[in-house]
């Protein structure tokens, strides 16, 4: 009885969320989930956060352009905060176990010295590239930490990368929205676009690395 009631409740909640005319409280909860998902995925890179932003962007556009903008803003803010926390952790790598683990992970990719030089010359451009390329973000942050790149300067330079990342995956969400007028179809297509985009970039990077 309890399981049936819970399943029915979740089903109604999901249906309400997909309804462009649903109550604003449902949308606020969805934005809160987006915030948590992006922060978690940025700190623990196991969740395809870009695909999450794309799906929410498609759903948001079904509601209104304002809702789409809210998705981009929340996604960018979450990515920015998570990056700042992760970079601070890397700077303290000598004193924390988690920081040492992240630094070793980054060093395994090599080219830390080269990345450090790029940061010194073109910090914003390098951070934008690392944000958009799957697997590049942590090595670049580790290189910045290894060269004692100031956290205040990182906080300023990382605004543009976070916004660009949210806009890029938001655009994929708009592409999914253009496929169908049905919200759930748009969400599925947007997720597919997000996953395919990340996979394609990863394949290109591996091919160029050979």
């Amino acid at each position: 009885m309890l399981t049936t009631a819970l399943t029915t409740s979740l089903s109604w909640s999901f249906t309400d969320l997909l309804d462009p005319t649903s109550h604003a409280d449902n949308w606020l909860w969805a934005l809160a989930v987006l915030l948590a998902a992006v922060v978690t995925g940025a700190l623990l890179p196991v969740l395809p956060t870009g695909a999450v932003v794309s799906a929410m962007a498609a759903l948001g556009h079904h509601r209104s352009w304002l809702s789409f903008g809210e998705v981009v803003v929340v996604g960018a803010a979450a990515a920015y905060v998570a990056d700042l926390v992760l970079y601070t952790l890397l700077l303290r790598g000598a004193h924390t176990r988690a920081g040492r683990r992240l630094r070793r992970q980054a060093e395994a990719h090599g080219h830390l010295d080269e990345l450090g030089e790029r940061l010194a010359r073109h910090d914003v451009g390098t951070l934008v590239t690392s944000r958009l390329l799957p697997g590049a973000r942590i090595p670049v942050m580790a290189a910045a930490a290894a060269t004692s790149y100031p956290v205040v300067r990182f906080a300023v330079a990382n605004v543009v990368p976070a916004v660009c990342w949210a806009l890029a995956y938001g655009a994929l969400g708009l592409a999914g929205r253009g496929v169908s007028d049905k919200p759930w179809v748009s969400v599925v297509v947007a997720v597919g676009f997000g996953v395919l985009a990340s996979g394609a970039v990863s394949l290109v990077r591996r091919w160029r690395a050979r």
Side-chain angles (χ1 to χ4, degrees):
M1 182 70 68
L2 179 60
T3 303
T4 302
L6 181 60
T7 302
T8 303
S9 176
L10 289 175
S11 176
W12 275 105
S13 297
F14 187 68
T15 302
D16 290 343
L17 182 60
L18 289 179
D19 182 5
T21 62
S22 63
H23 196 273
D25 286 347
N26 294 326
W27 183 244
L28 291 178
W29 276 109
L31 291 177
V33 171
L34 171 65
L35 178 68
V38 173
V39 169
T40 301
L43 294 175
L44 302 172
V46 294
L47 182 69
T49 53
V52 174
V53 173
S54 296
M56 284 293 296
L59 183 58
H61 189 263
H62 272 282
R63 297 175 61 88
S64 67
W65 275 105
L66 176 61
S67 295
F68 170 80
E70 290 171 345
V71 170
V72 173
V73 170
V74 170
Y80 175 82
V81 170
D83 284 353
L84 191 57
V85 171
L86 184 58
Y87 183 63
T88 302
L89 182 62
L90 282 170
L91 279 176
R92 299 177 56 200
H95 307 290
T96 64
R97 180 180 300 178
R100 286 194 296 269
R101 179 175 60 81
L102 288 172
R103 191 181 290 266
R104 286 196 300 269
Q105 179 183 348
E107 288 173 348
H109 290 77
H111 309 298
L112 286 186
D113 292 338
E114 179 183 349
L115 290 175
E117 293 177 1
R118 290 182 184 177
L119 275 169
R121 296 195 303 267
H122 309 289
D123 50 358
V124 175
T126 302
L127 290 174
V128 168
T129 302
S130 71
R131 241 298 167 190
L132 295 177
L133 294 180
R137 188 170 58 96
I138 291 180
V140 169
M141 287 177 137
T147 57
S148 298
Y149 186 79
V151 67
V152 174
R153 186 175 174 184
F154 178 86
V156 174
N158 197 50
V159 172
V160 174
V163 172
C164 288
W165 176 82
L167 285 173
Y169 281 98
L172 291 177
L174 286 181
R177 168 66 175 90
V179 172
S180 174
D181 289 331
K182 295 182 178 180
W184 71 269
V185 174
S186 299
V187 169
V188 171
V189 173
V191 169
F193 283 165
V195 172
L196 285 175
S198 297
V201 173
S202 296
L203 287 175
V204 171
R205 289 189 66 215
R206 291 177 183 177
W207 178 76
R208 293 183 62 184
R210 290 181 179 179

